[in-house]
């Protein structure tokens, strides 16, 4: 049997869609900042219409990730809180990794593209590399110098 699969086959184990993950991550972010989450807050942060937010929040409610009643605050369940925390950590890890690589333009877009497809094993390896550069700052400075020298050569 071949070791290759289509993208969809690799992604079958995901319980949440990328859109559901984005909403949950944003709900978690807003919760950390305000301790209250409203549909309009999510709509403002994600630049979408409140009606779209309501539909997604109802889906996440049906998956027992959050509790939602019309015109009330949105509350994360224990599972939603844990998943939200994991999603935000994943986002921040990918973002920091791309910063280390020297990506400056479209870093948010690239983070979004990567974070929904990355495996936990790869994410852990990124975290180790990030910790390495935090601990050995001289190595990070050397990497930055190398990147600058390579950039100026092109």
């Amino acid at each position: 049997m071949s070791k290759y699969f289509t993208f969809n086959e690799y992604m079958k184990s995901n319980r949440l869609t990328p859109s559901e993950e984005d909403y949950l991550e944003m709900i978690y972010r807003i919760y950390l900042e305000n301790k209250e989450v409203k549909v309009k807050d999510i709509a403002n942060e994600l630049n979408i219409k409140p009606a779209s937010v309501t539909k997604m929040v109802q889906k996440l409610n049906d998956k027992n990730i959050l509790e939602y009643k019309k015109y009330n605050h949105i509350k994360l369940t224990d599972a939603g809180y844990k998943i939200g925390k994991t999603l935000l950590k994943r986002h921040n890890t990918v973002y920091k990794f791309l910063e280390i690589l020297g990506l400056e333009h479209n870093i948010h877009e690239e983070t979004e593209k990567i974070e929904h497809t990355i495996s936990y094993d790869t994410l852990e390896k990124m975290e180790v590399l990030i910790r390495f550069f935090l601990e050995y700052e001289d190595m990070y400075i050397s990497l930055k110098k190398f990147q600058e020298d390579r950039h100026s050569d092109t």
Side-chain angles (χ1 to χ4, degrees), residues 32-90:
L32 289 178
E33 218 172 278
N34 302 331
K35 299 297 181 212
E36 280 186 359
V37 183
K38 300 175 192 159
V39 167
K40 71 175 185 165
D41 299 331
I42 302 165
N44 288 339
E45 290 296 325
L46 293 176
N47 299 301
I48 51 179
K49 295 179 182 172
S52 298
V53 173
T54 299
K55 284 180 188 175
M56 181 59 78
V57 166
Q58 288 168 338
K59 279 184 183 180
L60 294 171
N61 183 80
D62 293 344
K63 290 186 174 192
N64 297 315
I65 291 173
L66 54 80
E67 295 173 6
Y68 171 70
K69 290 185 178 117
K70 202 170 186 176
Y71 307 115
N72 249 341
H73 299 296
I74 297 162
K75 295 181 183 173
L76 292 169
T77 62
D78 287 344
Y81 185 86
K82 287 176 187 169
I83 296 167
K85 183 176 182 177
T86 300
L87 293 174
L88 182 58
K89 181 180 179 193
R90 178 184 70 183

